[in-house]
Amino acid sequence: MAAIDSLAPRLAALGHVMHAFGIDDGDVQALERPPQDGPAPRPVLHGATLLLPEAPPAWALPADELHLAATLHAIGHLRHSPRRQAAGKRKPMSLALAGAIEDVRVDRLLMRRHPGVGRLFRRLLRGQPELPQVGFEALVARLQRVLLDPQADDDNAWVRKGRALFEAQAGQLDEAEAFREVVSVLANDLGQLRVRMNLQSYAPPLPWHDDNSHLWAHGADAEQAETPLRRPPPQGEPQPAPPQAPEEAPEPAPLPELARHDYPEWHYRLERARDNWCTVIERAVPPASFSAPTPPARAPLRLARSRRLDRSQRIRRQWEGDELDLDAATEVFIDRRLGLAPDPRLFRRNGRGVPRTSLLLLLDLSASTADLQPCGRSVLDLEREAASLLMDALRDHEDRLEVAGFDSDGRHVVNYLRLLDFGQPVPADAALVLGAAQPGLSTRLGAALRHATARLAKETSAQRTLLVLSDGAPSDIDVLDARHLVEDAARAVMEARRKGVRCFCLSLDRASEADVRRIFGHGGYRIVDEPARLAAALARSYAELAGG
């Protein structure tokens, strides 16, 4: 109790600071908590009242500076942050990351308008204890450090990406909504990397940041904020039953394994391939074991094929043509020497036809494909719809088609799902087969490209084409260097082209265009800015690849 009493004069002074910033109903009080094990308690902002704990002993900094920083941070929230937002079905990690970005946003606003606040925050940051290297809280702390201190740097790829995304929106610091996409992208990347969050011990890593409980409304509070009050039914009428929570669907069993294949992976720093580095696991689709979501009614794809001159075909012994048929002319001389009447058909001409193509359509099945697009459908739903329409359009076509999907869980588990093999008849309900394609884990693109190339290399068609549908750059849980998998995938594309396989990508992520261009080269990709038009973009790309 003595410690709380010793805080009283400081708390009163901090209350005057809140009033000076225009928070007339603001108040600062001591946070009374019994001693307990675990992380040090964080400030709590309840309404316009800030509850401050004692300064954590791990920080060798004056307690008065920490309390002043906490008060200024609370003022930033009270003046600039939206309050009691509905949490909805967002995961705890996504909420924690959104709170961390919001903390930086309000701190940056204060630092921009009051330079002295910036000097205080940076002084506290530079006195921070040594940061751990792994884990969700460590990554958040490292990201906040580089965003609040311009002189700080970090070699972690996720932290660097977060800094770039945040600074791209720094001109809109006054708008909290402008940073929603930043949170979505970073949370998706953490999911790809399978970073874990300890719900029991997590707290905002910077000790002057409050617990962010004021930002979110959960459960009944959220429903009350979102739904209007309803008049009770008159007496005698039955009360409506409360809505029942939907039962969670059981996770599907792992798909049957067909074979395992080892492939090298290119290390751009070492400038060499590491042999047998990745393992691709082929998996099969059990017949009628998956149900596909009912797609909206769509007109069938119209595959406009451009007809080109096929100089590999020669039509011989013609009455007229493009050039002299030397074989026929030789036979004329022989016939004349033998006293026979020669055949006057001495010409040949080039045949016109559409060359046969083997097309392998490779679908990205990473976890991010479950994300909803502005059209209200997930990336994977759009991929399945486009693949289904293409399968139906090629049902009676001369070209050969294979459809596969891939995801990864580290270099030893790159799943390759065979949905339709070359030479296999297109099923009557293509959407049912494609229902086996479910959102998976990460995106080790290079290994999947090498395996798809190996399957295409067995084809004897005049053209062999690999077409990838993806929603972003490659990533995996065991790779921290963002450039590594991009360079490996670019190497895999180069190897495929040396084997006569043409590679092309349709990407739904404009932000990753630089990586896609590095992998597939100029003219080797197309960015689909309107996800709902993916099927039309696929039809157009097929016409160019198979007919050009």
Side-chain angles (χ1 to χ4, degrees):
M1 197 68 185
I4 296 176
D5 293 338
S6 65
L7 284 176
R10 185 186 305 160
L11 299 179
L14 294 174
H16 293 312
V17 173
M18 297 186 78
H19 300 158
F21 275 84
I23 314 297
D24 296 331
D25 56 345
D27 189 21
V28 183
Q29 300 179 14
L31 177 63
E32 299 185 34
R33 286 192 178 180
Q36 58 182 358
D37 296 331
R42 291 294 187 264
V44 176
L45 186 57
H46 182 70
T49 300
L50 175 64
L51 305 176
L52 284 179
E54 292 188 67
W59 282 52
L61 292 168
D64 57 344
E65 289 193 352
L66 285 174
H67 287 158
L68 176 59
T71 303
L72 293 169
H73 180 74
I75 290 170
H77 277 311
L78 292 170
R79 295 183 61 177
H80 304 295
S81 290
R83 308 292 296 277
R84 309 296 292 167
Q85 305 168 79
K89 297 181 179 180
R90 298 175 70 177
K91 297 179 180 179
M93 182 183 289
S94 178
L95 293 177
L97 185 58
I101 294 296
E102 180 63 12
D103 285 337
V104 171
R105 187 184 73 87
V106 298
D107 280 353
R108 289 276 293 265
L109 278 171
L110 289 171
M111 293 164 66
R112 186 178 71 183
R113 297 171 182 175
H114 307 282
V117 174
R119 289 192 292 270
L120 171 62
F121 287 166
R122 287 191 292 272
R123 186 163 63 251
L124 294 176
L125 275 172
R126 291 164 187 172
Q128 187 180 14
E130 185 68 23
L131 291 174
Q133 297 300 306
V134 295
F136 176 71
E137 185 170 343
L139 288 174
V140 170
R142 294 165 68 177
L143 176 61
Q144 290 184 321
R145 182 185 63 179
V146 299
L147 291 177
L148 293 175
D149 186 355
Q151 297 181 5
D153 197 10
D154 200 293
D155 59 358
N156 181 273
W158 182 85
V159 173
R160 287 177 177 268
K161 181 176 182 179
R163 185 181 209 170
L165 291 172
F166 188 96
E167 297 301 342
Q169 301 295 326
Q172 305 180 62
L173 281 177
D174 291 295
E175 302 176 22
E177 292 291 323
F179 294 84
R180 276 199 171 186
E181 184 64 21
V182 175
V183 174
S184 175
V185 172
L186 293 179
N188 175 69
D189 288 353
L190 290 176
Q192 293 269 11
L193 296 171
R194 249 96 73 228
V195 174
R196 302 301 181 189
M197 174 186 179
N198 189 331
L199 293 176
Q200 304 301 320
S201 63
Y202 176 78
L206 302 184
W208 70 84
H209 287 171
D210 56 78
D211 64 354
N212 285 331
S213 58
H214 57 93
L215 293 177
W216 312 109
H218 301 271
D221 293 338
E223 293 176 5
Q224 185 174 5
E226 289 184 324
T227 57
L229 295 177
R230 298 177 181 176
R231 295 172 55 191
Q235 291 185 348
E237 291 189 11
Q239 296 280 349
Q244 299 293 324
E247 296 183 1
E248 294 186 1
E251 294 186 2
L255 294 175
E257 182 177 322
L258 297 178
R260 291 180 176 239
H261 306 267
D262 292 331
Y263 290 98
E265 187 168 88
W266 178 255
H267 195 295
Y268 76 98
R269 292 184 184 273
L270 300 177
E271 295 187 348
R272 67 177 179 86
R274 293 182 286 191
D275 294 334
N276 301 325
W277 191 254
C278 298
T279 301
V280 173
I281 304 174
E282 282 192 350
R283 299 191 181 275
V285 181
S289 59
F290 286 85
S291 59
T294 304
R298 294 288 297 267
L301 285 185
R302 300 183 63 182
L303 302 178
R305 289 283 303 275
S306 60
R307 300 181 65 86
R308 73 174 188 176
L309 197 63
D310 185 3
R311 298 191 181 275
S312 64
Q313 297 182 12
R314 298 290 184 267
I315 303 177
R316 301 181 181 278
R317 298 185 180 279
Q318 301 297 303
W319 291 99
E320 57 184 20
D322 303 320
E323 55 190 9
L324 189 67
D325 188 340
L326 295 180
D327 292 338
T330 301
E331 292 181 8
V332 166
F333 281 106
I334 295 173
D335 289 343
R336 291 184 64 181
R337 294 288 295 270
L338 295 175
L340 301 175
D343 188 341
R345 296 175 298 174
L346 298 175
F347 298 93
R348 67 180 183 181
R349 60 183 175 84
N350 296 316
R352 298 182 67 86
V354 179
R356 192 172 185 181
T357 298
S358 291
L359 174 71
L360 196 155
L361 183 64
L362 187 60
L363 309 180
D364 179 355
L365 304 182
S366 59
S368 60
T369 60
D371 295 344
L372 293 181
Q373 298 299 298
C375 60
R377 304 176 64 198
S378 71
V379 172
L380 185 54
D381 283 343
L382 297 172
E383 288 184 357
R384 285 190 293 222
E385 177 191 63
S388 175
L389 290 173
L390 182 64
M391 290 166 67
D392 289 336
L394 294 178
R395 186 181 303 277
D396 300 318
H397 206 277
E398 65 174 355
D399 287 345
R400 289 164 62 83
L401 175 67
E402 176 163 311
V403 182
F406 79 98
D407 70 344
S408 63
D409 189 17
R411 65 186 180 94
H412 295 299
V413 181
V414 182
N415 296 304
Y416 186 93
L417 179 60
R418 289 166 51 176
L419 297 163
L420 178 72
D421 291 344
F422 283 124
Q424 179 182 353
V426 176
D429 188 354
L432 185 61
V433 173
L434 292 166
Q438 299 294 322
L441 301 169
S442 298
T443 322
R444 207 175 197 101
L445 179 59
L449 289 176
R450 288 184 177 91
H451 188 64
T453 298
R455 293 189 61 80
L456 273 166
K458 301 175 183 178
E459 292 292 297
T460 59
S461 302
Q463 294 188 97
R464 294 171 293 176
T465 302
L466 173 55
L467 201 163
V468 181
L469 301 188
S470 181
D471 70 334
S475 63
D476 211 339
I477 184 174
D478 56 354
V479 178
L480 298 179
D481 183 351
R483 186 181 167 191
H484 174 75
L485 292 181
V486 172
E487 295 296 331
D488 174 61
R491 187 78 176 189
V493 169
M494 183 177 67
E495 294 167 359
R497 288 172 177 162
R498 286 175 179 171
K499 296 176 181 178
V501 174
R502 184 177 182 182
C503 298
F504 192 85
C505 178
L506 286 177
S507 175
L508 295 172
D509 184 13
R510 175 66 67 177
S512 65
E513 182 174 4
D515 291 333
V516 176
R517 184 188 304 116
R518 171 62 185 151
I519 295 171
F520 293 93
H522 292 277
Y525 72 95
R526 176 175 290 127
I527 303 296
V528 184
D529 290 314
E530 297 182 43
R533 296 187 56 80
L534 178 61
L538 177 60
R540 178 183 172 188
S541 298
Y542 168 81
E544 295 172 354
L545 295 170

